[in-house]
Short mmCIF file of all heavy atoms in Angstrom, two decimals:
data_model
loop_
_atom_site.label_atom_id
_atom_site.label_comp_id
_atom_site.label_asym_id
_atom_site.label_seq_id
_atom_site.Cartn_x
_atom_site.Cartn_y
_atom_site.Cartn_z
N ALA A 261 5.72 -0.77 -0.81
CA ALA A 261 5.04 -1.64 -1.76
C ALA A 261 3.75 -1.00 -2.26
O ALA A 261 3.44 -1.02 -3.46
CB ALA A 261 4.76 -3.00 -1.13
N GLY A 262 2.98 -0.42 -1.34
CA GLY A 262 1.75 0.26 -1.73
C GLY A 262 2.03 1.46 -2.61
O GLY A 262 1.32 1.71 -3.60
N TYR A 263 3.06 2.20 -2.27
CA TYR A 263 3.42 3.39 -3.04
C TYR A 263 3.82 3.00 -4.46
O TYR A 263 3.33 3.57 -5.44
CB TYR A 263 4.57 4.12 -2.34
CG TYR A 263 4.87 5.47 -2.93
CD1 TYR A 263 4.18 6.60 -2.49
CD2 TYR A 263 5.82 5.63 -3.93
CE1 TYR A 263 4.45 7.85 -3.04
CE2 TYR A 263 6.09 6.87 -4.48
CZ TYR A 263 5.40 7.98 -4.03
OH TYR A 263 5.65 9.21 -4.59
N LEU A 264 4.70 2.01 -4.58
CA LEU A 264 5.16 1.60 -5.90
C LEU A 264 4.05 0.99 -6.74
O LEU A 264 3.95 1.25 -7.94
CB LEU A 264 6.33 0.62 -5.77
CG LEU A 264 7.62 1.20 -5.20
CD1 LEU A 264 8.66 0.11 -4.99
CD2 LEU A 264 8.16 2.31 -6.10
N SER A 265 3.17 0.19 -6.11
CA SER A 265 2.08 -0.41 -6.88
C SER A 265 1.13 0.66 -7.40
O SER A 265 0.65 0.57 -8.53
CB SER A 265 1.32 -1.44 -6.04
OG SER A 265 0.54 -0.83 -5.03
N ALA A 266 0.89 1.70 -6.61
CA ALA A 266 0.03 2.79 -7.05
C ALA A 266 0.68 3.60 -8.16
O ALA A 266 0.02 4.02 -9.12
CB ALA A 266 -0.33 3.69 -5.87
N MET A 267 1.99 3.80 -8.05
CA MET A 267 2.70 4.51 -9.12
C MET A 267 2.64 3.74 -10.43
O MET A 267 2.46 4.32 -11.49
CB MET A 267 4.16 4.76 -8.72
CG MET A 267 4.31 5.84 -7.68
SD MET A 267 6.04 6.27 -7.42
CE MET A 267 6.46 7.01 -8.98
N LEU A 268 2.77 2.41 -10.35
CA LEU A 268 2.71 1.59 -11.57
C LEU A 268 1.32 1.64 -12.22
O LEU A 268 1.18 1.41 -13.41
CB LEU A 268 3.09 0.14 -11.25
CG LEU A 268 4.56 -0.08 -10.94
CD1 LEU A 268 4.79 -1.50 -10.43
CD2 LEU A 268 5.42 0.21 -12.16
N GLU A 269 0.30 1.94 -11.40
CA GLU A 269 -1.06 2.09 -11.92
C GLU A 269 -1.34 3.53 -12.34
O GLU A 269 -2.47 3.86 -12.71
CB GLU A 269 -2.08 1.63 -10.89
CG GLU A 269 -2.04 0.14 -10.64
CD GLU A 269 -3.07 -0.31 -9.62
OE1 GLU A 269 -4.11 0.38 -9.47
OE2 GLU A 269 -2.83 -1.34 -8.99
N HIS A 270 -0.34 4.39 -12.22
CA HIS A 270 -0.45 5.81 -12.60
C HIS A 270 -1.55 6.54 -11.81
O HIS A 270 -2.25 7.39 -12.36
CB HIS A 270 -0.68 5.96 -14.11
CG HIS A 270 0.37 5.28 -14.92
ND1 HIS A 270 1.65 5.78 -15.04
CD2 HIS A 270 0.35 4.13 -15.62
CE1 HIS A 270 2.37 4.96 -15.79
NE2 HIS A 270 1.61 3.95 -16.15
N LEU A 271 -1.67 6.20 -10.52
CA LEU A 271 -2.62 6.91 -9.67
C LEU A 271 -2.07 8.30 -9.35
O LEU A 271 -0.87 8.55 -9.46
CB LEU A 271 -2.87 6.12 -8.38
CG LEU A 271 -3.45 4.72 -8.55
CD1 LEU A 271 -3.68 4.08 -7.18
CD2 LEU A 271 -4.73 4.74 -9.35
N SER A 272 -2.94 9.19 -8.93
CA SER A 272 -2.50 10.54 -8.56
C SER A 272 -1.61 10.45 -7.32
O SER A 272 -1.60 9.44 -6.61
CB SER A 272 -3.71 11.42 -8.26
OG SER A 272 -4.33 11.00 -7.05
N ALA A 273 -0.89 11.53 -7.05
CA ALA A 273 -0.02 11.57 -5.87
C ALA A 273 -0.83 11.35 -4.59
O ALA A 273 -0.40 10.62 -3.69
CB ALA A 273 0.74 12.89 -5.81
N GLU A 274 -2.02 11.92 -4.52
CA GLU A 274 -2.87 11.77 -3.34
C GLU A 274 -3.34 10.32 -3.19
O GLU A 274 -3.32 9.76 -2.09
CB GLU A 274 -4.08 12.71 -3.41
CG GLU A 274 -3.74 14.17 -3.25
CD GLU A 274 -3.20 14.82 -4.53
OE1 GLU A 274 -3.24 14.20 -5.63
OE2 GLU A 274 -2.71 15.96 -4.44
N GLU A 275 -3.76 9.70 -4.30
CA GLU A 275 -4.20 8.30 -4.26
C GLU A 275 -3.03 7.37 -3.94
O GLU A 275 -3.20 6.38 -3.22
CB GLU A 275 -4.83 7.90 -5.59
CG GLU A 275 -6.14 8.60 -5.87
CD GLU A 275 -6.60 8.42 -7.31
OE1 GLU A 275 -5.76 8.51 -8.23
OE2 GLU A 275 -7.79 8.18 -7.51
N THR A 276 -1.87 7.71 -4.45
CA THR A 276 -0.67 6.91 -4.18
C THR A 276 -0.34 6.94 -2.70
O THR A 276 -0.07 5.90 -2.08
CB THR A 276 0.51 7.43 -5.02
OG1 THR A 276 0.17 7.27 -6.40
CG2 THR A 276 1.79 6.68 -4.72
N LEU A 277 -0.38 8.12 -2.10
CA LEU A 277 -0.11 8.23 -0.66
C LEU A 277 -1.18 7.52 0.16
O LEU A 277 -0.88 6.89 1.17
CB LEU A 277 -0.03 9.69 -0.24
CG LEU A 277 1.26 10.40 -0.61
CD1 LEU A 277 1.19 11.87 -0.23
CD2 LEU A 277 2.46 9.74 0.06
N ARG A 278 -2.43 7.62 -0.26
CA ARG A 278 -3.52 6.94 0.46
C ARG A 278 -3.27 5.44 0.48
O ARG A 278 -3.39 4.80 1.52
CB ARG A 278 -4.86 7.27 -0.17
CG ARG A 278 -6.03 6.72 0.60
CD ARG A 278 -7.34 7.33 0.10
NE ARG A 278 -8.41 6.98 1.00
CZ ARG A 278 -9.39 6.13 0.69
NH1 ARG A 278 -9.44 5.57 -0.50
NH2 ARG A 278 -10.34 5.84 1.58
N ARG A 279 -2.92 4.87 -0.68
CA ARG A 279 -2.66 3.43 -0.73
C ARG A 279 -1.43 3.08 0.11
O ARG A 279 -1.45 2.11 0.87
CB ARG A 279 -2.45 2.96 -2.16
CG ARG A 279 -2.14 1.46 -2.21
CD ARG A 279 -1.92 0.94 -3.59
NE ARG A 279 -3.16 0.93 -4.34
CZ ARG A 279 -3.24 0.47 -5.58
NH1 ARG A 279 -2.16 0.01 -6.21
NH2 ARG A 279 -4.40 0.48 -6.23
N ALA A 280 -0.37 3.85 -0.02
CA ALA A 280 0.85 3.57 0.74
C ALA A 280 0.59 3.62 2.24
O ALA A 280 1.00 2.72 2.98
CB ALA A 280 1.94 4.56 0.34
N ASN A 281 -0.09 4.66 2.69
CA ASN A 281 -0.40 4.79 4.11
C ASN A 281 -1.28 3.65 4.59
O ASN A 281 -1.09 3.13 5.70
CB ASN A 281 -1.06 6.14 4.40
CG ASN A 281 -0.08 7.28 4.34
OD1 ASN A 281 1.09 7.12 4.62
ND2 ASN A 281 -0.56 8.46 3.96
N ALA A 282 -2.25 3.26 3.78
CA ALA A 282 -3.14 2.15 4.16
C ALA A 282 -2.36 0.85 4.26
O ALA A 282 -2.55 0.08 5.20
CB ALA A 282 -4.27 2.03 3.15
N CYS A 283 -1.47 0.58 3.31
CA CYS A 283 -0.66 -0.64 3.36
C CYS A 283 0.20 -0.67 4.62
O CYS A 283 0.30 -1.70 5.28
CB CYS A 283 0.21 -0.76 2.12
SG CYS A 283 -0.69 -1.24 0.63
N GLY A 284 0.80 0.45 4.96
CA GLY A 284 1.60 0.52 6.17
C GLY A 284 0.76 0.29 7.42
O GLY A 284 1.19 -0.42 8.34
N ALA A 285 -0.43 0.84 7.45
CA ALA A 285 -1.32 0.68 8.60
C ALA A 285 -1.77 -0.77 8.74
O ALA A 285 -1.74 -1.35 9.84
CB ALA A 285 -2.52 1.60 8.47
N VAL A 286 -2.18 -1.38 7.64
CA VAL A 286 -2.65 -2.77 7.68
C VAL A 286 -1.53 -3.70 8.12
O VAL A 286 -1.76 -4.67 8.86
CB VAL A 286 -3.23 -3.20 6.31
CG1 VAL A 286 -3.50 -4.70 6.27
CG2 VAL A 286 -4.50 -2.43 6.00
N ALA A 287 -0.30 -3.41 7.73
CA ALA A 287 0.84 -4.24 8.12
C ALA A 287 1.03 -4.28 9.63
O ALA A 287 1.61 -5.22 10.16
CB ALA A 287 2.11 -3.75 7.45
N CYS A 288 0.51 -3.29 10.33
CA CYS A 288 0.65 -3.22 11.79
C CYS A 288 -0.40 -4.03 12.54
O CYS A 288 -0.38 -4.10 13.76
CB CYS A 288 0.56 -1.76 12.25
SG CYS A 288 1.92 -0.74 11.69
N LEU A 289 -1.32 -4.66 11.81
CA LEU A 289 -2.44 -5.36 12.45
C LEU A 289 -2.13 -6.78 12.89
O LEU A 289 -2.96 -7.41 13.54
CB LEU A 289 -3.66 -5.37 11.50
CG LEU A 289 -4.24 -4.00 11.17
CD1 LEU A 289 -5.36 -4.14 10.14
CD2 LEU A 289 -4.74 -3.31 12.43
N ALA A 290 -0.97 -7.30 12.54
CA ALA A 290 -0.60 -8.67 12.93
C ALA A 290 0.89 -8.72 13.24
O ALA A 290 1.65 -7.91 12.71
CB ALA A 290 -0.94 -9.64 11.80
N PRO A 291 1.30 -9.67 14.07
CA PRO A 291 2.73 -9.79 14.35
C PRO A 291 3.47 -10.33 13.13
O PRO A 291 2.92 -11.10 12.34
CB PRO A 291 2.78 -10.78 15.52
CG PRO A 291 1.50 -11.52 15.47
CD PRO A 291 0.50 -10.61 14.83
N GLY A 292 4.70 -9.89 12.97
CA GLY A 292 5.53 -10.36 11.87
C GLY A 292 5.70 -9.29 10.82
O GLY A 292 5.04 -8.26 10.84
N ASP A 293 6.61 -9.57 9.90
CA ASP A 293 6.93 -8.53 8.92
C ASP A 293 6.13 -8.62 7.63
O ASP A 293 6.12 -7.67 6.86
CB ASP A 293 8.42 -8.51 8.62
CG ASP A 293 8.93 -9.83 8.07
OD1 ASP A 293 8.19 -10.81 8.06
OD2 ASP A 293 10.10 -9.85 7.65
N TRP A 294 5.44 -9.72 7.35
CA TRP A 294 4.68 -9.83 6.10
C TRP A 294 3.29 -10.43 6.31
O TRP A 294 2.45 -10.40 5.41
CB TRP A 294 5.44 -10.69 5.08
CG TRP A 294 5.66 -12.09 5.58
CD1 TRP A 294 6.76 -12.54 6.25
CD2 TRP A 294 4.77 -13.20 5.48
NE1 TRP A 294 6.60 -13.87 6.57
CE2 TRP A 294 5.38 -14.29 6.11
CE3 TRP A 294 3.51 -13.36 4.94
CZ2 TRP A 294 4.77 -15.54 6.22
CZ3 TRP A 294 2.90 -14.62 5.04
CH2 TRP A 294 3.54 -15.69 5.67
N GLU A 295 3.01 -10.95 7.49
CA GLU A 295 1.78 -11.70 7.72
C GLU A 295 0.50 -10.91 7.45
O GLU A 295 -0.51 -11.48 7.04
CB GLU A 295 1.76 -12.25 9.15
CG GLU A 295 2.71 -13.42 9.36
CD GLU A 295 4.17 -13.05 9.50
OE1 GLU A 295 4.52 -11.85 9.49
OE2 GLU A 295 4.99 -13.97 9.62
N ALA A 296 0.51 -9.61 7.64
CA ALA A 296 -0.68 -8.80 7.40
C ALA A 296 -0.62 -8.04 6.09
O ALA A 296 -1.48 -7.21 5.82
CB ALA A 296 -0.90 -7.82 8.56
N ALA A 297 0.37 -8.32 5.25
CA ALA A 297 0.46 -7.63 3.95
C ALA A 297 -0.84 -7.88 3.19
O ALA A 297 -1.22 -9.02 2.95
CB ALA A 297 1.66 -8.13 3.16
N PRO A 298 -1.56 -6.82 2.84
CA PRO A 298 -2.89 -7.00 2.26
C PRO A 298 -2.88 -7.31 0.77
O PRO A 298 -2.01 -6.84 0.03
CB PRO A 298 -3.56 -5.64 2.50
CG PRO A 298 -2.42 -4.67 2.45
CD PRO A 298 -1.25 -5.40 3.06
N THR A 299 -3.86 -8.09 0.36
CA THR A 299 -4.15 -8.22 -1.06
C THR A 299 -4.88 -6.94 -1.47
O THR A 299 -5.30 -6.14 -0.61
CB THR A 299 -5.06 -9.42 -1.35
OG1 THR A 299 -6.33 -9.19 -0.71
CG2 THR A 299 -4.43 -10.73 -0.85
N LEU A 300 -5.07 -6.74 -2.76
CA LEU A 300 -5.79 -5.55 -3.20
C LEU A 300 -7.22 -5.54 -2.66
O LEU A 300 -7.72 -4.51 -2.24
CB LEU A 300 -5.79 -5.45 -4.73
CG LEU A 300 -6.31 -4.15 -5.32
CD1 LEU A 300 -5.61 -2.94 -4.73
CD2 LEU A 300 -6.15 -4.16 -6.84
#
């Protein structure tokens, strides 16, 4: 989700990966599959 949202904003490959990695990391902060999905 982070990767695709960054691509839709035409971010650089590095910025896209940074957002994607951050989204994946934040998702690990709470139990469940969507509960920690971050807002922008």
Side-chain angles (χ1 to χ4, degrees):
Y263 189 87
L264 292 175
S265 72
M267 286 188 67
L268 289 171
E269 291 181 26
H270 305 287
L271 300 182
S272 70
E274 291 79 10
E275 292 168 318
T276 298
L277 283 176
R278 186 167 190 251
R279 179 180 290 182
N281 286 331
C283 285
V286 170
C288 294
L289 296 175
D293 60 351
W294 61 268
E295 287 77 2
T299 64
L300 189 53

